[in-house]
């Protein structure tokens, strides 16, 4: 028997959505069914960047906050999957909504289509056979210059934890009267303006003012006060702006998260990190304004699992159980065999591969495009991913086990465990404690094995920043020893990019460097920006008549978000043709990163790397 899932759907512009969603979150929990939200909106699909100075207008385009587009983000596909997996039913706040035709085609029940609070809640409580409460909580979604998107989406704890009926300040007098007749006697007021509170008193409601705006309030002060009030009920904290909180509200409630945010992110991070430390939390879901935020969090032993609205498409996927059937193939790299690698070394061959920076699960709409491209060109490559990928998109990464001739990607795309294992973190000295990173790695391996099986757990590890910022030479030997002791086969390090050289070795464990010695301007990790930065590395090896490797990281968002394929597609094709066509010299052989690691081990034994 399939488990039930209640979907709330409507327009993002509907001012009632967050109050209703927070109410349904606790109602469905009480009724022992699952809950998810989806809101229609215009989405640019671009890479969200919270730093206004990067834009000509001096502000972040509003559409950039809304994550993936419907088609490019594969919303339909996962929506259909959820309707097959769960016994779904719907509450529509307004309509028609984007997926409504499919809802009717699937003959799924729509519990309520009402837009008034009384009609909506009367149907929902009757359907769930739950007792109507006598207390409501009123939120205020008013926007100001400092509160650009309002703050009602950040106020979900006020409704969820208090187990009260959620309404917002747009509620009409006749609706209030109907709710009063249904049994509501008291209304808790959160940031409600005095005129509305006076109206409630005039109508005979008992009122309690929970919080009020002051002229100095910003998102930091507001979100910190809310989180402080509900700290005892919460288990963790998220770094979610108001748009992100709306789309992830069901997940935030299910995981007992409070939310903190400010456009001036360094001002709110100390409070967020103190909260997380108190809860013994080591991974935070949310999104940063700058990668400098990641470095600050790493110093407090926090990894950041970066998310967007509908990236991944539906947060409820993290409770779906979809273990792989295809889990017997491995990237242990016994092909080519050692004799072939020794032969290549004597022939002074150059092995080449591409490695994707793709640890964030918000890359959910990028990676299918790039992996499709890899299959088309038969490009062997690696992808650095974190454990949550296996929860939110198990069907995508199962393709790494399915043979190419069956429509999959094996043996062309090798997953590597990336950075903080559960989210992005700096691993260099002075950043995340190795004891915490070790714990994250162990947890991530268990999560992956539960979905993919033990044999499919990645054998390679790819670092985000295992060096000191902008200093290639200072690695973290204690990290490398720990990874060797944990049984990894190899590590791709940020240390000393350039000429092929083993950076650390313990037994069969080997740490290999990347080739292009460039940092991205906006980020903190070593990456290549075009083919010229890649093929120069091969030219140098050929010039010195040496065997070695060309291993280049690509920053996935630059190549895969909605506008990127049209801008960067030709350059990506040039890179693929270069890798699969023998390079500039004809001596380059395209392999996966694990094969490069084996080659490096052999070259090191021969005193050649």
């Amino acid at each position: 028997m399939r488990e039930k899932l209640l979907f709330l759907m409507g327009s993002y512009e509907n001012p009632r959505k967050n109050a209703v969603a927070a109410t349904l979150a606790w109602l469905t929990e009480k009724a022992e069914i699952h809950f998810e939200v989806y809101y229609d909106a215009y989405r640019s699909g671009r890479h969200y960047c919270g730093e206004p100075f990067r834009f000509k207008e001096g502000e972040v385009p509003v559409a950039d906050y809304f994550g993936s587009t419907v088609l490019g983000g594969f919303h339909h596909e996962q929506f259909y999957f959820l309707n097959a997996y769960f016994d779904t039913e719907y509450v529509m706040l307004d309509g028609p909504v984007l997926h409504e035709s499919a809802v009717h085609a699937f003959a799924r029940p729509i519990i309520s289509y009402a837009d008034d609070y009384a009609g909506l809640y009367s149907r929902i409580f009757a359907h769930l056979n739950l007792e109507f409460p006598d207390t409501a909580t009123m939120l205020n979604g008013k926007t100001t210059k400092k509160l650009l998107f309002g703050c009602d989406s950040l106020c979900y704890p006020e409704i969820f934890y208090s187990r009260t009926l959620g309404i917002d300040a747009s509620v009409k007098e006749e609706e209030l009267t109907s709710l009063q007749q249904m049994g509501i006697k008291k209304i808790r007021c959160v940031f409600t303006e005095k005129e509305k509170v006076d109206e409630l008193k005039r109508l005979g409601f008992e009122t309690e003012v929970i919080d009020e705006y002051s002229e100095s309030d910003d998102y930091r002060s507001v979100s910190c006060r809310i989180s402080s009030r509900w700290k005892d009920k919460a288990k963790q904290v998220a770094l979610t702006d108001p748009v992100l909180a709306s789309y992830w509200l069901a997940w935030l409630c299910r995981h007992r998260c409070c939310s903190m945010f400010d456009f001036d992110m360094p001002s709110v991070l100390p409070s967020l990190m103190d909260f997380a430390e108190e809860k013994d939390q080591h991974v935070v879901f949310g999104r940063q304004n700058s990668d400098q935020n990641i470095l600050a969090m790493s110093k407090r032993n926090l990894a950041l699992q970066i998310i967007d609205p509908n990236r991944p498409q539906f947060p409820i996927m993290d409770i779906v159980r979809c273990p792989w059937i295809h889990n017997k193939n491995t990237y242990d790299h016994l092909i080519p065999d050692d004799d072939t690698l020794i032969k290549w070394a004597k022939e002074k061959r150059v092995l080449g591969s591409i490695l994707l920076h793709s640890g964030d699960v918000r890359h959910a709409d990028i990676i299918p495009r790039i992996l499709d491209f890899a299959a088309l060109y038969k490009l062997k490559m690696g992808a650095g991913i974190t454990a949550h990928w296996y929860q939110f998109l198990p069907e995508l990464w199962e393709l790494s086990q399915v043979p190419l001739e069956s429509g999959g990607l094996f043996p062309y795309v090798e997953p590597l465990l990336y950075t903080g294992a559960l989210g992005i973190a700096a691993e260099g000295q002075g950043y995340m404690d190795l004891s915490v990173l070790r714990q994250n790695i162990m947890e991530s391996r268990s999560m992956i094995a539960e979905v993919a099986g033990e044999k499919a757990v990645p054998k390679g590890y790819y670092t985000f920043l295992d060096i000191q910022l902008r200093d290639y030479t200072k690695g973290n030997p204690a990290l490398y020893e720990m990874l060797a002791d944990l049984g990894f086969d190899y590590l791709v390090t940020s240390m000393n990019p350039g000429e092929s050289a083993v950076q650390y070795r313990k037994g069969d464990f080997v740490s290999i460097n990347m080739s292009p010695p460039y940092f991205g301007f906006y980020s903190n990790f070593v990456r290549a920006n075009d083919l010229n930065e890649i093929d120069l590395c091969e030219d140098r090896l050929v010039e010195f008549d040496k065997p070695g490797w060309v291993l280049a990281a690509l920053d996935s968002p630059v190549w895969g978000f909605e506008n990127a394929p049209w801008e960067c597609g030709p350059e990506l094709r040039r890179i693929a043709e270069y890798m699969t066509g023998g390079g500039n010299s004809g001596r380059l052989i395209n392999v996966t990163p694990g094969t490069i690691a084996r080659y490096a081990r052999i070259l090191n034994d021969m005193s050649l790397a």
Side-chain angles (χ1 to χ4, degrees):
M1 182 175 172
R2 291 181 298 167
E3 298 178 24
K4 282 190 174 292
L5 170 64
L6 176 66
F7 255 113
L8 172 66
M9 292 190 158
S11 166
Y12 179 83
E13 297 301 320
N14 191 310
R16 305 182 170 206
K17 64 184 182 302
N18 294 314
V20 172
T23 306
L24 293 181
W26 71 262
L27 285 179
T28 51
E29 188 174 274
K30 195 169 184 178
E32 298 183 336
I33 63 178
H34 302 297
F35 176 54
E36 183 60 291
V37 303
Y38 185 92
Y39 302 125
D40 301 352
Y42 174 68
R43 305 163 166 92
S44 71
R46 286 190 292 266
H47 183 24
Y48 169 78
C49 164
E51 295 180 311
F53 71 84
R54 298 191 191 181
F55 300 92
K56 286 191 296 186
E57 298 81 6
E59 58 185 37
V60 179
V62 170
D64 286 9
Y65 284 89
F66 286 84
S68 64
T69 61
V70 175
L71 292 176
F74 310 99
H75 295 196
H76 287 97
E77 287 91 330
Q78 203 166 88
F79 179 69
Y80 298 157
F81 175 88
L82 291 174
N83 276 278
Y85 186 86
F86 291 104
D87 181 8
T88 52
E89 46 196 20
Y90 291 84
V91 170
M92 306 291 193
L93 275 184
D94 40 34
V97 298
L98 179 67
H99 295 295
E100 191 169 341
S101 296
V103 172
H104 289 288
F106 298 154
R108 300 302 193 196
I110 298 176
I111 299 168
S112 176
Y113 219 126
D115 199 36
D116 67 288
Y117 280 117
L120 174 76
Y121 284 134
S122 64
R123 290 179 179 88
I124 292 170
F125 276 87
H127 178 75
L128 297 178
N129 194 28
L130 295 174
E131 185 179 348
F132 204 78
D134 62 4
T135 303
T137 296
M138 178 179 285
L139 308 181
N140 183 5
K142 179 181 177 181
T143 61
T144 67
K145 188 174 182 180
K146 290 183 179 179
L147 303 172
L148 182 64
F149 296 101
C151 71
D152 53 319
S153 64
L154 301 177
C155 292
Y156 62 87
E158 304 289 354
I159 295 169
F160 178 73
Y161 292 124
S162 68
R163 299 301 197 248
T164 54
L165 196 78
I167 57 177
D168 81 299
S170 74
V171 62
K172 299 180 178 67
E173 183 172 320
E174 56 268 29
E175 292 179 276
L176 288 168
T177 301
S178 296
L179 290 172
Q180 197 171 41
Q181 293 169 352
M182 293 166 66
I184 296 296
K185 299 175 182 178
K186 177 181 176 180
I187 298 182
R188 304 167 67 252
C189 301
V190 183
F191 304 123
T192 308
E193 294 178 319
K194 184 179 182 302
E195 294 77 10
K196 195 70 178 183
V197 177
D198 290 342
E199 178 188 350
L200 298 177
K201 291 178 179 178
R202 178 176 56 79
L203 291 172
F205 289 102
E206 177 188 349
T207 62
E208 179 185 2
V209 176
I210 303 299
D211 206 341
E212 297 178 282
Y213 286 132
S214 71
E215 289 187 8
S216 63
D217 267 336
D218 53 20
Y219 279 121
R220 182 199 61 78
S221 59
V222 166
S223 64
C224 287
R225 291 206 302 274
I226 296 167
S227 297
S228 179
R229 276 195 291 275
W230 298 103
K231 181 183 289 188
D232 291 343
K233 295 279 189 180
K235 294 182 179 178
Q236 55 184 309
V237 64
L239 183 60
T240 46
D241 57 80
V243 176
L244 185 57
S246 285
Y247 282 87
W248 279 72
L249 191 148
W251 188 95
L252 293 167
C253 291
R254 187 167 69 251
H255 288 268
R256 297 297 192 272
C257 282
C258 285
S259 290
M260 292 186 186
F261 172 73
D262 198 74
F263 291 118
D264 178 17
M265 201 157 281
S267 73
V268 77
L269 280 180
S271 297
L272 179 142
M273 294 186 292
D274 288 345
F275 190 114
E277 185 176 285
E278 189 173 325
K279 299 295 180 181
D280 195 27
Q281 179 182 352
H282 296 304
V283 58
V284 171
F285 274 65
R287 57 183 174 185
Q288 81 283 28
N289 283 355
S290 161
D291 281 1
Q292 303 307 311
N293 307 144
I294 295 175
L295 300 189
M297 294 174 70
S298 298
K299 290 178 180 178
R300 294 284 298 273
N301 291 322
L302 289 171
L304 181 64
Q305 183 53 266
I306 309 174
I307 54 175
D308 280 335
N310 301 118
R311 286 177 176 148
Q313 293 87 343
F314 292 92
I316 192 70
M317 279 295 296
D318 75 341
I319 69 167
V320 168
R321 294 293 169 259
C322 188
W324 296 357
I325 299 300
H326 302 275
N327 59 7
K328 302 297 188 292
N329 291 321
T330 67
Y331 286 82
D332 285 335
H333 306 284
L334 300 179
I335 301 175
D337 60 23
D338 284 357
D339 289 341
T340 301
L341 294 178
I342 293 170
K343 176 175 174 288
W344 287 349
K346 292 176 179 178
E347 294 172 353
K348 300 175 183 176
R349 293 282 192 163
V350 178
L351 303 194
S353 194
I354 297 299
L355 183 55
L356 294 180
H357 157 78
S358 46
D360 324 356
V361 289
R362 72 163 162 180
H363 295 173
D365 50 331
I366 304 172
I367 299 305
R369 280 192 277 275
I370 297 180
L371 297 189
D372 230 10
F373 183 87
L376 175 65
Y377 281 88
K378 296 184 178 178
L379 172 66
K380 290 188 175 180
M381 62 188 299
I385 58 177
T386 49
H388 292 104
W389 273 101
Y390 293 80
Q391 289 188 324
F392 288 108
L393 290 112
E395 75 286 356
L396 172 63
W397 287 107
E398 188 177 15
L399 292 174
S400 68
Q401 292 283 313
V402 178
L404 188 72
E405 57 269 23
S406 298
L409 298 166
F410 185 83
Y412 288 86
V413 179
E414 176 192 3
L416 288 78
L417 193 61
Y418 187 44
T419 182
L422 299 172
I424 310 303
E427 311 99 325
Q429 296 182 55
Y431 293 109
M432 179 171 278
D433 290 348
L434 292 187
S435 60
V436 175
L437 181 57
R438 182 187 182 95
Q439 178 182 329
N440 287 1
I441 289 172
M442 299 301 290
E443 183 179 343
S444 70
R445 282 174 154 179
S446 296
M447 290 167 61
I448 294 169
E450 186 177 342
V451 175
E454 292 287 348
K455 288 184 69 176
V457 175
K459 305 297 193 299
Y461 188 95
Y462 169 32
T463 64
F464 173 68
L465 190 73
D466 60 318
I467 56 177
Q468 296 304 297
L469 187 61
R470 301 295 191 268
D471 186 344
Y472 301 128
T473 65
K474 295 180 180 177
N476 191 352
L479 166 69
Y480 313 146
E481 183 173 12
M482 182 189 78
L483 293 172
D485 292 345
L486 284 170
F488 284 97
D489 288 348
Y490 70 97
L491 160 74
V492 178
T493 176
S494 303
M495 191 176 176
N496 295 322
E499 183 178 348
S500 303
V502 169
Q503 302 299 310
Y504 176 89
R505 184 160 181 185
K506 184 178 182 180
D508 285 339
F509 175 84
V510 64
S511 173
I512 57 175
N513 62 343
M514 287 183 279
S515 304
Y518 304 105
F519 279 99
F521 177 72
Y522 293 123
S523 195
N524 302 308
F525 59 94
V526 178
R527 69 187 190 193
N529 298 294
D530 56 39
L531 177 58
N532 289 337
E533 294 180 359
I534 298 171
D535 66 3
L536 283 172
C537 304
E538 179 206 0
D539 293 344
R540 188 168 180 81
L541 284 168
V542 172
E543 179 184 352
F544 287 98
D545 199 27
K546 294 176 61 177
W549 59 86
V550 175
L551 179 58
L554 298 182
D555 187 8
S556 297
V558 174
W559 303 89
F561 273 144
E562 256 55 31
N563 60 326
W566 314 111
E567 296 176 354
C568 304
E571 187 66 12
L572 189 60
R573 176 179 57 80
R574 288 179 65 217
I575 292 172
E577 289 175 343
Y578 164 81
M579 281 285 173
T580 58
N584 293 337
S585 65
R587 284 164 52 175
L588 187 141
I589 301 171
N590 178 221
V591 296
T592 54
T595 299
I596 289 181
R598 288 180 56 223
Y599 193 53
R601 198 177 298 129
I602 287 171
L603 293 180
N604 186 249
D605 289 340
M606 299 169 70
S607 300
L608 294 173

